[in-house]
């Protein structure tokens, strides 16, 4: 019962926020593994008025100009995700992710490929850690995107 109440409250809040985020698209660069494990959480952004555009593998090259991009996976992720993330993480960050099974990493990268672009990388040592980052950060990121509260996106 308590779980149902929490879900109802979240959906109610998301519905109220949808007006603030109309015409916004989140492009998600992912591989098949992280897509399956994180899709249910990412789809919740739809309730806040966001369109979700999933791009698996090399198709990301056609979306590098998108304004808001989530990248799921670490520098060792398959299907071209590792190439993207590996180009952004420092050697120390790569070492940390590789050597710590519970290593979480969320990295906000403004203007990586184009002006006025925000890239959010959700990386973990494993698919479970990547999924955990997507799930645990959902509320903070949604607040940052919809309530004029830069929060975790502040640079």
């Amino acid at each position: 019962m308590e779980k149902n109440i929490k879900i109802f409250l979240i959906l109610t809040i998301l519905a109220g926020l949808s007006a603030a985020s109309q015409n916004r698209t989140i492009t998600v660069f992912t591989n098949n593994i992280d897509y399956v494990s994180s899709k249910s959480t990412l789809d919740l952004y739809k309730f806040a008025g966001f369109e979700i555009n999933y791009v698996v593998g090399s198709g990301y090259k056609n979306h590098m100009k998108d304004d808001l991009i989530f990248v799921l996976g670490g520098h060792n992720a398959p299907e071209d995700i590792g190439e993207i993330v590996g180009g952004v993480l420092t050697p120390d960050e790569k070492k940390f992710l590789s050597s710590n099974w519970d290593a979480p990493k969320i990295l906000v990268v403004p203007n990586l490929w184009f002006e006025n672009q925000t890239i959010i990388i959700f990386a973990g040592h494993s698919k479970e850690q990547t999924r955990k980052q997507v799930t645990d950060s959902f509320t903070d990121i949604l607040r940052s995107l919809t309530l004029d509260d830069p929060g975790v996106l502040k640079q």
Side-chain angles (χ1 to χ4, degrees), residues 3 26 33 41 43 56 69 72-73 78 80-81 106 139 143 149:
K3 182 179 178 183
I26 299 171
I33 296 166
T41 299
D43 282 348
V56 179
I69 300 172
L72 307 186
D80 293 334
I81 299 303
I106 297 177
T139 305
R143 183 177 60 239
D149 173 12

Side-chain angles (χ1 to χ4, degrees), residues 75 81-90 94 107 112-113 121:
H75 62 288
I81 299 303
E83 177 183 322
I84 297 168
V85 177
V88 175
L89 296 178
T90 66
K94 291 176 190 176
L107 185 64
L112 179 62
W113 295 305
I121 298 173

Side-chain angles (χ1 to χ4, degrees), residues 30-38 56 77-79 126-128:
T30 186
N31 56 64
N32 284 303
I33 296 166
D34 291 316
Y35 172 79
V36 170
S37 67
S38 299
V56 179
E79 300 176 65
S126 65
K127 69 179 179 185
E128 291 82 11

Side-chain angles (χ1 to χ4, degrees), residues 33-42 45 71-74 97 100-106 120-141:
I33 296 166
D34 291 316
Y35 172 79
V36 170
S37 67
S38 299
K39 184 179 185 307
S40 61
T41 299
L42 291 170
Y45 286 98
V71 181
L72 307 186
L97 281 174
N100 295 291
W101 69 270
D102 62 344
K105 187 71 178 169
I106 297 177
I120 304 176
I121 298 173
F122 301 88
H125 181 76
S126 65
K127 69 179 179 185
E128 291 82 11
Q129 288 299 318
T130 298
R131 180 198 48 76
K132 183 173 176 10
Q133 295 312 306
V134 169
T135 302
D136 290 353
S137 66
F138 172 78
T139 305
D140 288 334
I141 291 175

Side-chain angles (χ1 to χ4, degrees), residues 45-65:
Y45 286 98
K46 292 177 183 178
F47 290 104
F50 287 91
E51 178 182 329
I52 307 297
N53 182 17
Y54 292 99
V55 179
V56 179
S58 62
Y60 78 88
K61 293 175 183 173
N62 296 324
H63 295 276
M64 291 175 70
K65 291 184 179 182

